[in-house]
Amino acid sequence: MKQVYIETFGCQMNKADTEHMLGLLDEIDYKHTENIEEANLVLFNTCTIRETANHKFYSQLGIVGKMKKQRCRDGVTPSLLLGVGGCAAQDKKEWLIKNFPYVDIVFGTNNIQNLPELVKKAESGKKVCEIEEELPYELPELPVIRQTKVSAWVNVILGCNFNCTYCIVPSVRGREKSRKPEDILKEVERLAEEGFKEVTLLGQNVTAYGYDLSSNYSKEKATFGHIPDDPEYSLAKLIRYVHDVDGIERIRFLTGHPFHVTDELIDTVAELPKACEYFHIPMQSGDNTVLKRMARVYTVEKYKEMVEKIRNKMPSRGVLQYAHAAITSDFIVGFPGETEEQFLNTVKIVKEIGFDGCNTAAYSPRPDTPSATWDKQIPEEEKNARLRYLNSVVNEVVGIKNKDLLDTIQEVLVEGTSKRNENNLSGRTRGNTIVNFDPTMAGFKPAIVGTLVNIKITKVKRWALDGEVVGN
Ligand code: SAH
Ligand code: SF4
Ligand code: F3S
């Protein structure tokens, strides 16, 4: 038996891919280890969304490169194979091979299914570099070894058909390709049999799910936002199918695009009890001129309309005393040409909408994206100053939203032991906020992992809540 250590960078798509890499490697007898010292194969599943993501990976790669040389020299510990996959590999294969000669395997986001074959070749002493520009015509069903027990990732659509002018994703992940609903359902049914309670339907542009499978879909129009008339497939329809799977108690989806948040989707989430009222729908900027230059295909007004619809349709439900569906976003500051006033429009919208959470980032010029070469790039110090300011506002806004949760009763899916206190358990609300609690509250049978419990929120911290069980 051999052992593989994988370091995963980036988004949930990469985390899901890592689980498939582990499944594929298991078939050639590589078992997963969390101890790099024991590994015969070290893989990096990389992200290149911003330059900082690349830097994290390069510095780790350097450390493992040294480790590999050390093992070659001492001749005692088994030799080490080193592989790089994921989005940075897809983007930089030649550069990687040239600059990191100790890397044995380079593979991309479109050919994960070939990993066993590539590892076998590398075992026989060959350097292998294989990047496919496109996904296979028929998406293969890949084996998987999950890293979780209660909540599972399920890829439903790969790639993105938009062309946001700052974004490298379409070039490293390709164009949209939805999995067939029957394949997704089979996977979810298997998950239910294995005891999973929650599924998160994943895609870089998950709200476009199914449109590319529909007969009257136009790929050309999709770049500017396109929903076919009466589509045969959609995310809302998929959520309905998944909702029928016995044993699955919660459904989430990630990441949405405001253009595709249809009434059908909002109504479906509002109607179906297993669908969590959690919308991660990145807005990116609170200024219409910037949104237009980003090619985001919606306006601030449209976004606000969407928020209003979601909140009107999803007030408190039964025991759930939480006033609104949770809405979270991503924002980029310092986009080329962004004026102080335009930046302040972003600050304003964060306060006005009152997001339940926001990821923020300073604009990072990505190779071969249109905005990377535009005039009026904002100096680093200015971008960082804007980021610091926006972060302070986000903390304030999210703090206020979290305070609203104090003394409410939240439905929590128990996921495991709390990271802070091993006697406590931890889970997430329907709105995706972490709650830590004592599982043995008097008067109730002890809460256990994989169950839904009602918890009264007793303390609000910056990124998590504390609570007490009031029902199971
Ligand atoms: N499909 C999602 C986002 C995918 S990328 C959407 O359309 O919103 C994840 C996040 O990374 C983005 O929401 C954006 O905020 C950030 N991001 C993408 N490219 C970036 C860049 N060049 N510089 C800084 N942040 C970037
Ligand atoms: Fe990137 Fe835009 Fe596609 Fe999101 S919608 S992945 S930001 S191109
Ligand atoms: Fe990064 Fe690739 Fe995800 S660039 S954000 S890992 S799709």
Side-chain angles (χ1 to χ4, degrees):
M1 184 195 68
K2 293 180 178 160
Q3 304 205 67
V4 55
Y5 174 91
I6 304 194
E7 181 136 0
T8 309
F9 300 86
C11 66
Q12 284 79 5
M13 304 291 285
N14 263 20
K15 289 183 186 141
D17 285 350
T18 287
E19 296 186 328
H20 289 296
M21 289 176 195
L22 289 173
L24 285 156
L25 290 169
D26 188 65
E27 295 193 335
I28 54 164
D29 227 12
Y30 275 86
K31 302 294 168 213
H32 184 208
T33 175
E34 290 187 3
N35 178 0
I36 196 166
E37 301 292 336
E38 293 173 353
N40 310 85
L41 169 64
V42 172
L43 287 184
F44 288 101
N45 189 6
T46 60
C47 170
T48 187
I49 197 80
R50 290 176 280 277
E51 204 45 40
T52 44
N54 281 353
H55 288 153
K56 275 190 217 155
F57 148 59
Y58 299 152
S59 78
Q60 286 303 96
L61 187 56
I63 294 169
V64 179
K66 271 194 201 133
M67 201 173 124
K68 178 174 167 165
K69 276 187 209 145
Q70 184 67 37
R71 285 211 203 168
C72 287
R73 266 199 298 268
D74 75 11
V76 182
T77 32
S79 62
L80 182 66
L81 286 178
L82 189 45
V84 181
C87 297
Q90 185 77 25
D91 185 44
K92 287 210 185 300
K93 62 172 175 183
E94 268 105 24
W95 188 86
L96 271 172
I97 293 285
K98 212 166 125 205
N99 287 281
F100 299 93
Y102 47 81
V103 172
D104 303 287
I105 309 161
V106 177
F107 62 108
T109 50
N110 294 329
N111 60 345
I112 291 172
Q113 68 281 4
N114 296 346
L115 187 57
E117 193 190 309
L118 303 182
V119 170
K120 286 273 171 209
K121 273 191 199 158
E123 280 176 344
S124 67
K126 290 189 193 111
K127 294 241 171 229
V128 278
C129 173
E130 196 184 285
I131 301 282
E132 296 295 335
E133 291 308 319
E134 287 186 28
L135 285 163
Y137 181 72
E138 281 282 335
L139 291 179
E141 291 305 306
L142 302 177
V144 62
I145 292 185
R146 311 261 174 198
Q147 299 303 290
T148 51
K149 290 196 161 52
V150 175
S151 178
W153 310 115
V154 177
N155 278 331
V156 301
I157 177 170
L158 307 175
C160 177
N161 279 357
F162 283 111
N163 267 346
C164 301
T165 53
Y166 52 82
C167 185
I168 200 166
V169 169
S171 84
V172 291
R173 287 277 175 178
R175 288 313 194 182
E176 278 162 23
K177 210 157 186 155
S178 295
R179 282 175 74 201
K180 292 190 203 116
E182 55 271 28
D183 292 341
I184 297 168
L185 270 182
K186 255 188 242 152
E187 181 171 344
V188 175
E189 281 160 3
R190 244 189 338 261
L191 285 167
E193 278 162 24
E194 288 166 17
F196 283 87
K197 300 288 184 239
E198 178 180 271
V199 289
T200 302
L201 310 176
L202 278 186
Q204 275 300 344
N205 191 9
V206 75
T207 39
Y209 173 78
Y211 297 150
D212 59 309
L213 299 173
S214 299
S215 50
N216 52 355
Y217 178 72
S218 157
K219 225 180 197 173
E220 288 66 42
K221 285 191 202 161
T223 311
F224 310 101
H226 164 60
I227 299 176
D229 295 332
D230 293 325
E232 295 116 281
Y233 306 94
S234 67
L235 180 63
K237 292 182 177 68
L238 181 67
I239 292 173
R240 280 188 188 281
Y241 299 142
V242 173
H243 200 267
D244 286 341
V245 177
D246 285 340
I248 295 300
E249 305 203 30
R250 277 184 169 186
I251 306 163
R252 300 181 187 277
F253 55 90
L254 202 72
T255 298
H257 188 288
F259 183 85
H260 293 125
V261 179
T262 56
D263 290 352
E264 185 199 21
L265 179 64
I266 297 174
D267 291 344
T268 304
V269 176
E271 177 196 326
L272 299 180
K274 294 181 184 176
C276 288
E277 304 79 0
Y278 170 65
F279 292 79
H280 180 62
I281 313 287
M283 188 180 194
Q284 310 299 1
S285 166
D287 183 89
N288 280 338
T289 308
V290 175
L291 285 175
K292 192 152 194 201
R293 298 178 69 239
M294 287 176 162
R296 287 294 291 179
V297 308
Y298 54 84
T299 59
V300 171
E301 291 70 30
K302 277 269 163 215
Y303 192 95
K304 277 166 46 178
E305 220 174 88
M306 174 197 82
V307 170
E308 209 162 299
K309 272 191 201 163
I310 293 174
R311 287 182 172 166
N312 283 340
K313 289 269 170 153
M314 278 162 261
S316 61
R317 181 194 275 166
V319 72
L320 191 83
Q321 293 173 16
Y322 185 23
H324 295 303
I327 301 176
T328 60
S329 177
D330 298 349
F331 285 97
I332 298 175
V333 300
F335 185 70
E338 183 191 65
T339 62
E340 180 75 17
E341 195 188 341
Q342 289 165 342
F343 164 66
L344 289 174
N345 282 336
T346 294
V347 173
K348 195 170 127 213
I349 206 76
V350 168
K351 290 184 184 166
E352 190 182 326
I353 290 183
F355 287 100
D356 298 85
C358 289
N359 302 315
T360 56
Y363 169 77
S364 169
R366 309 312 296 127
D368 303 323
T369 57
S371 64
T373 51
W374 286 354
D375 290 346
K376 298 197 188 146
Q377 297 284 328
I378 310 290
E380 286 304 314
E381 318 81 81
E382 179 59 28
K383 285 194 273 191
N384 290 332
R386 288 182 191 183
L387 185 61
R388 278 195 301 275
Y389 183 53
L390 182 63
N391 284 342
S392 69
V393 172
V394 165
N395 285 342
E396 208 178 296
V397 167
V398 174
I400 293 170
K401 293 291 289 186
N402 278 347
K403 271 204 192 113
D404 283 352
L405 298 177
L406 197 63
D407 293 331
T408 65
I409 295 170
Q410 298 287 320
E411 179 203 271
V412 171
L413 176 61
V414 187
E415 289 184 38
T417 308
S418 161
K419 285 198 180 121
R420 294 178 189 175
N421 175 347
E422 60 179 33
N423 295 322
N424 282 357
L425 290 177
S426 154
R428 277 171 305 139
T429 65
R430 296 175 69 94
N432 213 32
T433 308
I434 292 174
V435 183
N436 296 306
F437 64 96
D438 176 352
T440 54
M441 289 302 293
F444 298 100
K445 59 179 195 260
I448 49 166
V449 173
T451 55
L452 289 170
V453 283
N454 289 329
I455 292 198
K456 183 167 178 189
I457 305 304
T458 51
K459 199 167 183 186
V460 173
K461 300 179 177 163
R462 187 179 274 193
W463 302 119
L465 310 167
D466 284 349
E468 288 171 3
V469 179
V470 291
N472 30 22

